[in-house]
């Protein structure tokens, strides 16, 4: 599941594909023209809707050939992720499967019927996915098989060296987030919706993926503890407690918050690269696909920063707040304004006694210098009535946003299984 959290942030919290109403405007989920699709491609979009509800909304809004390529890319990664997540598969079986998973894309009859995971359908119906993979243009096939190989090998290596890898979450993100960042950029470039540089300059794309991955790892501390998963960097938490699970103990709440604040400070260092990456995008549907998760992530970090609730329950972004972010994040100036707003919110909450306070202030100063608003966009605090009007106008003005808003009722709890 951690692999797919990198895709668009935590799926549960992004877009629930139901109807949404606000300000008198009613929107419905974006539709792919089912009549024009082959039976196998219709099945793939059905799997996409059922296993990646958040992703389905934005994938369906992509332009041209990129839509189908992204659908298949997601399903292939979902299948790999399902193998990795399934604790009923022993390592002697799992590791070779992960290492060889890319080869199954060229084996028409390969499927796996023994998984107990929630999304096992992508393994049981893998012949349909591999068929549509082979129907893609070769330029897309090359990217998908390459990324599948890298992800599978990375997962297998992480399972074999898990304890060493956990010491540094940058190392963990290298296994999990890096291939997705690279793969998405190469698909954007292959589609020719973006300039070739999008597929060559990987540094910023990788940082974008790291930003989402680290945000989700921070936010999901308690959920991961309950399910027996540990992703927080031991290089950080070992400064505060003897075991990661000790952060959830009431007597350690102050140390827990300080530990989290340090991790958030580390994650904020990716924001400058995020802004550079987004500024290079030209196609509106690709920009929206990339920008929405980023603004959701910065809002999530602001909600988590110095917040004891992360260790007690769920930290949520309000529905109206999430919808407004999605509606507003349509150009780089708007995204910079949103980043500016939320780092200011974090700045106002920095405790003078926090061990990371000076470093947090330094990275916020750096982000401010890149995202100083060029208009009155930034520091506006909208009234609910004004928000409704803005969202109505945006929906009428932007075809993409009208389709994505249709997919929105419940944005953030900030993970989908």
């Amino acid at each position: 599941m951690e692999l797919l959290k990198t895709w668009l942030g935590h799926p549960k919290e992004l877009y629930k594909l139901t109807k949404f109403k606000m300000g008198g405007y009613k929107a419905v989920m974006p539709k792919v023209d089912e009549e024009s699709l082959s039976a196998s491609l219709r099945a793939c979009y059905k799997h996409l809707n059922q296993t990646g509800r958040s992703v389905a909304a934005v994938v369906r809004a992509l332009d041209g050939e990129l839509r189908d390529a992204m659908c298949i890319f997601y399903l292939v990664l979902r299948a790999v992720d399902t193998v990795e997540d399934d604790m009923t598969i022993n390592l002697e079986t799992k590791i070779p499967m992960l290492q060889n998973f890319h080869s199954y894309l060229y084996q028409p009859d390969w499927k796996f019927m023994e998984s107990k995971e929630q999304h096992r359908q992508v393994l049981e119906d893998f012949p349909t996915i591999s068929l549509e993979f082979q129907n893609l243009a070769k330029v897309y096939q090359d990217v998908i098989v390459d990324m599948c190989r890298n992800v599978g090998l990375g997962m297998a290596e992480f399972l074999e060296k898990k304890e060493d890898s956990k010491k540094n979450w940058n190392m963990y993100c290298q296994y999990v987030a890096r291939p997705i960042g690279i793969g998405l950029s190469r698909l954007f470039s292959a589609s020719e919706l973006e300039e070739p540089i999008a597929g060559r300059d990987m540094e910023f794309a990788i940082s974008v993926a790291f930003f989402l991955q680290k945000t989700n790892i921070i936010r999901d501390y308690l959920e991961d503890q309950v399910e027996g998963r540990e992703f927080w960097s031991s290089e950080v938490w070992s400064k505060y407690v003897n075991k990661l699970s000790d952060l959830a103990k009431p007597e350690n709440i102050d140390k827990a918050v300080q530990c989290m604040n340090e991790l958030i400070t580390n994650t904020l260092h990716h924001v400058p690269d995020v802004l550079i990456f987004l500024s290079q995008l030209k196609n509106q549907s690709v920009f929206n696909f990339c920008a929405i998760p980023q603004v959701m992530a910065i809002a999530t970090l602001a909600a988590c920063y110095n917040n004891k609730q992360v260790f007690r329950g769920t930290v949520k972004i309000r529905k109206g707040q999430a919808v407004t972010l999605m509606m507003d994040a349509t150009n780089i100036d708007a995204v910079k304004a949103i980043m500016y707003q939320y780092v200011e919110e974090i700045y106002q909450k920095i405790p003078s006694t926090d061990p990371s306070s000076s470093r947090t202030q330094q990275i916020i100063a750096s982000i401010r210098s890149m995202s100083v608003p060029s208009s009155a966009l930034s520091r506006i605090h909208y009234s609910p009535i004004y928000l409704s009007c803005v969202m109505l106008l945006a929906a009428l003005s932007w075809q993409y946003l009208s389709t994505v808003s249709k997919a929105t009722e419940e944005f953030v709890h900030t993970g989908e299984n």
Side-chain angles (χ1 to χ4, degrees):
M1 184 175 69
E2 291 302 314
L3 169 67
L4 273 301
K5 285 182 184 181
T6 311
W7 188 282
L8 282 176
H10 212 309
K12 258 183 201 171
E13 110 185 18
L14 270 184
Y15 324 111
K16 188 173 181 180
L17 301 183
T18 53
K19 295 182 179 178
F20 175 77
K21 298 180 181 179
M22 182 171 279
Y25 175 76
K26 181 179 179 181
V28 291
M29 177 185 167
K31 297 288 184 182
V32 171
D33 182 8
E34 301 283 345
E35 299 286 330
S36 65
L37 303 182
S38 65
S40 55
L41 191 53
R42 282 199 301 272
C44 287
Y45 276 101
K46 180 179 179 181
H47 292 322
L48 177 67
N49 293 337
Q50 293 175 342
T51 65
R53 291 173 297 176
S54 66
V55 179
V58 286
V59 167
R60 285 169 176 264
L62 286 168
D63 293 337
E65 296 177 345
L66 184 58
R67 183 187 305 116
D68 293 346
M70 201 66 75
C71 173
I72 301 305
F73 185 37
Y74 178 85
L75 292 177
V76 170
L77 291 181
R78 172 59 79 184
V80 180
D81 199 47
T82 300
V83 172
E84 196 258 358
D85 276 351
D86 194 333
M87 303 306 292
T88 68
I89 304 174
N90 61 53
L91 289 181
E92 290 73 19
T93 300
K94 180 181 293 188
I95 288 177
M97 280 183 69
L98 292 172
Q99 292 170 331
N100 297 310
F101 204 92
H102 63 283
S103 68
Y104 304 151
L105 288 165
Y106 297 105
Q107 299 178 29
D109 299 325
W110 186 89
K111 57 186 175 181
F112 186 72
M113 306 299 292
E114 300 172 24
S115 176
K116 307 301 181 184
E117 278 293 295
Q118 177 183 0
H119 299 306
R120 59 186 177 273
Q121 67 199 74
V122 293
L123 294 173
E124 295 172 350
D125 195 26
F126 199 77
T128 298
I129 297 169
S130 63
L131 172 63
E132 283 304 321
F133 162 79
Q134 294 183 56
N135 286 337
L136 295 174
K138 187 176 184 302
V139 67
Y140 297 122
Q141 289 187 35
D142 290 346
V143 174
I144 292 172
V145 74
D146 194 26
M147 291 306 103
C148 181
R149 179 191 297 109
N150 291 341
V151 167
L153 291 174
M155 284 181 166
E157 187 173 351
F158 180 74
L159 288 172
E160 291 175 320
K161 302 179 179 179
K162 200 165 186 179
E163 292 308 315
D164 289 338
S165 300
K166 279 185 182 178
K167 292 179 181 177
N168 186 315
W169 66 344
N170 281 319
M171 186 183 299
Y172 174 72
C173 288
Q174 287 288 343
Y175 289 122
V176 176
R178 186 176 186 274
I180 293 183
I182 293 173
L184 292 175
S185 290
R186 288 178 59 189
L187 286 177
F188 297 153
S189 177
S191 71
E192 298 185 355
L193 295 176
E194 293 296 337
E195 299 294 331
I197 191 174
R200 295 195 303 264
D201 191 354
M202 298 301 178
E203 176 186 353
F204 301 127
I206 293 169
S207 203
V208 165
F210 275 35
F211 183 60
L212 294 179
Q213 185 72 25
K214 290 182 178 182
T215 297
N216 291 315
I217 287 173
I218 291 168
R219 181 206 50 227
D220 292 342
Y221 166 81
L222 194 60
E223 176 186 326
D224 286 337
Q225 282 292 301
V226 170
E227 296 186 17
R229 300 187 297 259
E230 293 190 355
F231 298 103
W232 280 28
S233 170
S234 62
E235 286 185 337
V236 176
W237 63 253
S238 60
K239 301 176 187 178
Y240 300 92
V241 288
N242 293 323
K243 296 186 298 182
L244 182 57
S245 58
D246 289 345
L247 294 176
K249 296 179 179 179
E251 62 268 25
N252 292 328
I253 190 62
D254 291 337
K255 292 180 180 179
V257 169
Q258 290 175 353
C259 178
M260 177 180 61
N261 288 350
E262 181 173 347
L263 292 176
I264 290 175
T265 298
N266 175 286
T267 303
L268 288 174
H269 280 82
H270 296 291
V271 172
D273 283 353
V274 167
L275 293 175
I276 293 172
F277 176 82
L278 293 176
S279 70
Q280 296 175 343
L281 300 177
K282 308 300 181 185
N283 178 269
Q284 188 66 54
S285 71
V286 172
F287 183 88
N288 293 337
F289 181 94
C290 296
I292 292 171
Q294 307 305 314
V295 297
M296 294 293 291
I298 192 65
T300 298
L301 290 180
C304 290
Y305 186 83
N306 212 48
N307 187 350
K308 297 177 181 179
Q309 184 62 22
V310 172
F311 303 94
R312 296 170 175 168
T314 302
V315 174
K316 295 183 179 181
I317 297 175
R318 299 184 306 276
K319 289 182 186 178
Q321 178 187 9
V323 174
T324 301
L325 287 170
M326 185 176 68
M327 287 297 193
D328 285 351
T330 59
N331 60 75
I332 188 61
D333 285 338
V335 171
K336 286 181 177 181
I338 292 168
M339 293 290 186
Y340 189 98
Q341 173 188 338
Y342 284 105
V343 296
E344 282 293 294
E345 183 177 316
I346 292 173
Y347 184 84
Q348 296 302 321
K349 296 194 291 185
I350 298 174
S352 59
T353 57
D354 190 274
S356 304
S357 60
S358 61
R359 282 173 287 160
T360 310
Q361 291 167 350
Q362 288 171 4
I363 185 55
I364 286 178
S366 177
I367 296 170
R368 280 172 174 164
S369 69
M370 293 187 67
S371 55
V372 173
S374 56
S375 68
L377 264 173
S378 66
R379 305 294 286 277
I380 298 175
H381 297 278
Y382 302 107
S383 69
I385 294 176
Y386 181 73
L387 284 176
S388 297
C389 294
V390 168
M391 286 164 43
L392 173 59
L393 290 173
L396 294 173
S397 302
W398 291 99
Q399 181 179 0
Y400 169 80
L401 289 177
S402 69
T403 60
V404 177
S405 69
K406 302 167 186 186
T408 311
E409 177 179 32
E410 192 175 286
F411 254 8
V412 154
H413 144 52
T414 128
E416 167 185 77
N417 295 323

